Amino acid sequence: MSEQTQEQGMSQPRRVVVVGAGMAGVQTAVALREQGFTGTVTLIGAEPHQPYDRPPLSKAVLLGKAEGSAFDVDFESLGLELRLGCEALAVRPDAHVLDTSEGPVPYDVLVVATGAEPIRLPGAEGVPGVHLLRTLDDAERLRPVLAEQHDIVVVGAGWIGAEFATAAREAGCAVTVVEAADRPLAEALPAEVTAPMTTWYADSGAELRTHARVARVEPGAVMLDDGSRLPAGAVVVGIGARPATAWLAGSGIALGERGEVLADDHLRTSVPDVYAVGDCASFPSRRYGERLLVHHWDNALQGPRTVAADMIGLTPAAYDPVPYFWSEQFGRFVQYAGHHTSADATVWRGEPSGPAWTVCWLRGDRLVALLAVGRPRDLAQGRRLIEAGTPMDPELLADPARPLKAATA
């Protein structure tokens, strides 16, 4: 054993506790074992179910094409202890103790991976027929609603609203989507990019109402602030999510304005021996010159490798990924890579009225983000070009027949 390895082994914690049994938490536990950690790893999940993946909930699970989406991980053979149905209540960093609904849990290192929780529609809690779609139980409650082909009102035309509306139309339901903003995905993308997406709703047979604010929800109806009454056998609320971090109050762990844990470029928090990863944490991006809060699956997959390596002394590179996500909606495969807010130019590849097109964002001559609709090759090549910081030629980039990798300056 080398001297360096001996030093790493001596400095390794004995007990790692991971709070959150979603993608980020499970992958942190797995990454620790893959990178040689031999101490105890305890994975704490608030839900009673075996840890599962979330993307299928709005697709296969919701439509009854799959019973669940449990991770294909043999926790026993990896020596990972699961404590399910156990809710984290507080952290006492000075004592290195996590307080839970099942009692105190001591730790040497704690990983916060509690993800995000859906924002609830004010005044709608407790009203019969109002649903969220975040957990396996949510999907199972909604499955018979779709099977019975209820009239459904979806509140919010973001990613989850569009995906649920897609599934509901596939199930034969009448669907009305109400959005307070002037367009779908108003908080995620510029107006010129979301404009062609507006027609997707009508093409699928769903009605999209913009500038539509919910005044109240009644059993069997949604009342809008303009006096409109929308019949609703069920209401699905998809108006965003916030980091699930309220339980950290009083811990001394620094939180940002959006309620997220403020992690550093190795995903360490402001408190010693505590990390944060996934939807509940933001991190500083040197690539984009700002702090990023990424509520997507790929971030929850990548971040744990950095956490595990840093924890056991492998000195990983700073965590600065190119954010990536995908969405399947209205018969289209939509993919996004990067972060476009710092861009100063936009280049289109293909006609947005067509079935396949890409929009690219440039800062100077560098590609910083792209959104691809039905053009997965653009996405794959573009993601690598963003990572490499390769100079691009805008005129060549605008030719949809030219591979993205051949549009370099």
Side-chain angles (χ1 to χ4, degrees):
M1 183 182 291
S2 71
E3 183 177 334
Q4 181 182 12
T5 305
Q6 284 180 327
E7 289 177 358
Q8 289 172 358
M10 290 172 61
S11 64
Q12 282 191 19
R14 298 187 310 277
R15 300 168 299 182
V16 175
V17 175
V18 181
V19 187
M23 171 62 80
V26 168
Q27 289 300 319
T28 298
V30 171
L32 281 165
R33 291 294 187 237
E34 288 178 343
Q35 298 187 36
F37 179 69
T38 57
T40 63
V41 180
T42 302
L43 190 63
I44 293 179
E47 295 181 54
H49 309 291
Q50 279 292 112
Y52 61 87
D53 203 6
R54 293 191 188 277
L57 298 185
S58 61
K59 307 171 184 71
V61 175
L62 189 60
L63 291 169
K65 297 177 181 178
E67 288 304 311
S69 55
F71 291 115
D72 185 17
V73 174
D74 189 336
F75 294 96
E76 185 176 356
S77 71
L78 289 173
L80 304 174
E81 179 191 5
L82 285 180
R83 295 193 190 180
L84 304 176
C86 180
E87 184 179 359
L89 303 177
V91 183
R92 289 180 279 149
D94 291 345
H96 278 62
V97 169
L98 171 74
D99 290 317
T100 78
S101 57
E102 304 299 313
V105 179
Y107 67 84
D108 291 324
V109 174
L110 181 71
V111 181
V112 178
T114 43
E117 57 191 4
I119 297 172
R120 297 177 183 273
L121 185 65
E125 289 192 58
V127 178
V130 176
H131 300 264
L132 299 168
L133 181 52
R134 180 71 182 176
T135 68
L136 181 59
D137 288 341
D138 291 338
E140 289 181 346
R141 280 190 288 265
L142 276 165
R143 191 187 295 180
V145 172
L146 267 59
E148 293 164 18
Q149 298 187 336
H150 284 278
D151 290 348
I152 295 176
V153 173
V154 180
V155 183
W159 298 112
I160 192 66
E163 289 187 3
F164 178 80
T166 299
R169 286 299 302 140
E170 187 175 334
C173 300
V175 178
T176 301
V177 180
V178 297
E179 169 57 52
D182 60 347
R183 63 187 192 279
L185 296 167
E187 293 186 5
L189 295 168
E192 62 177 326
V193 177
T194 59
M197 298 177 176
T198 303
T199 63
W200 298 356
Y201 288 79
D203 291 346
S204 76
E207 180 183 0
L208 172 64
R209 290 198 180 196
T210 55
H211 299 287
R213 293 186 177 276
V214 175
R216 66 183 183 277
V217 179
E218 304 172 349
V222 173
M223 305 298 296
L224 302 181
D225 63 359
D226 65 0
S228 301
R229 181 183 186 276
L230 304 178
V235 179
V236 177
V237 179
I239 54 176
R242 61 167 63 94
T245 57
W247 64 282
L248 294 173
S251 67
I253 295 172
L255 303 180
E257 294 180 356
R258 296 164 289 184
E260 84 282 13
V261 179
L262 296 175
D264 69 9
D265 60 4
H266 287 77
L267 301 178
R268 298 173 292 220
T269 73
S270 62
V271 167
D273 301 323
V274 180
Y275 292 80
V277 64
D279 290 7
C280 67
S282 66
F283 56 90
S285 171
R286 180 175 295 180
R287 187 193 315 277
Y288 292 106
E290 61 182 282
R291 181 169 283 275
L292 300 183
L293 175 60
V294 181
H295 279 187
H296 295 296
W297 186 90
D298 191 65
N299 177 50
L301 177 67
Q302 292 197 60
R305 298 171 192 144
T306 294
V307 170
D310 191 76
M311 195 184 300
I312 63 178
L314 296 180
T315 58
Y319 186 64
D320 195 9
V322 173
Y324 166 73
F325 71 89
W326 77 95
S327 177
E328 295 177 63
Q329 50 185 270
F330 308 117
R332 294 166 174 84
F333 187 42
V334 182
Q335 295 172 284
Y336 177 96
H339 185 64
H340 66 269
T341 58
S342 64
D344 50 34
T346 304
V347 177
W348 291 81
R349 291 168 56 80
E351 291 297 324
S353 59
W357 48 273
T358 297
V359 58
C360 301
W361 286 274
L362 299 173
R363 184 173 64 227
D365 62 356
R366 300 300 201 273
L367 186 66
V368 294
L370 79 160
L371 180 135
V373 177
R375 292 180 66 99
R377 185 175 298 177
D378 275 6
L379 190 288
Q381 295 180 7
R383 192 177 182 183
R384 289 192 289 268
L385 291 166
I386 295 171
E387 289 173 345
T390 306
M392 306 298 296
D393 183 320
E395 289 190 15
L396 299 179
L397 191 61
D399 179 3
R402 180 185 296 272
L404 223 96
K405 63 184 181 181
T408 56

